[in-house]
Amino acid sequence: MLLSYLPIVILILLAAGFALATLFVSHVLGPRRPSAAKLAPYECGIDPVGSARGRFSVKFYLVAMLFIIFDIEIVFLYPWAVILNSLRLFGLIEMILFLGILLIGLLYVWKKGGLEWIT
């Protein structure tokens, strides 16, 4: 029975060997011409300002978490849209309820100032 897995094991070994060989060859043969411009930190085309260890406001992280929460909730719309015809009116009402709760949560966060992290 284990013999049937032999082609998969050989393929994994070949892929890993190719990846390692490619990394090794590029490390050995690749040009190394460091310069001050290449070694300088790059930040979106702008010279970096301040320390990279600077602190961010807690509101920044709250906005990031809220974005992730609402983004994940919106992902639920795709499977619902795919099977909408089989759900009929019940599925439509449930999604309206779901989006209503999501909207209430968004309005609550907006009213509390959770989306204003720049101040």
Side-chain angles (χ1 to χ4, degrees), residues 26-104:
S26 68
H27 179 71
V28 170
L29 299 178
R32 290 182 189 85
R33 294 184 211 108
S35 67
K38 289 181 183 178
L39 297 177
Y42 180 76
E43 189 173 320
C44 302
I46 303 170
D47 291 332
V49 178
S51 170
R53 305 280 184 235
R55 293 183 179 222
F56 287 100
S57 171
V58 173
K59 287 189 175 188
F60 172 78
Y61 296 106
L62 289 175
V63 169
M65 287 189 294
L66 288 171
F67 171 76
I68 291 170
I69 289 170
F70 286 111
D71 195 42
I72 289 171
E73 298 296 334
I74 295 301
V75 169
F76 288 128
L77 289 176
Y78 181 74
W80 169 79
V82 170
I83 61 169
L84 177 61
N85 288 337
S86 64
L87 294 177
R88 309 249 183 232
L89 185 61
F90 173 75
L92 181 64
I93 292 170
E94 289 296 319
M95 188 50 68
I96 290 172
L97 182 66
F98 173 74
L99 290 175
I101 293 170
L102 199 62
L103 182 64
I104 290 169

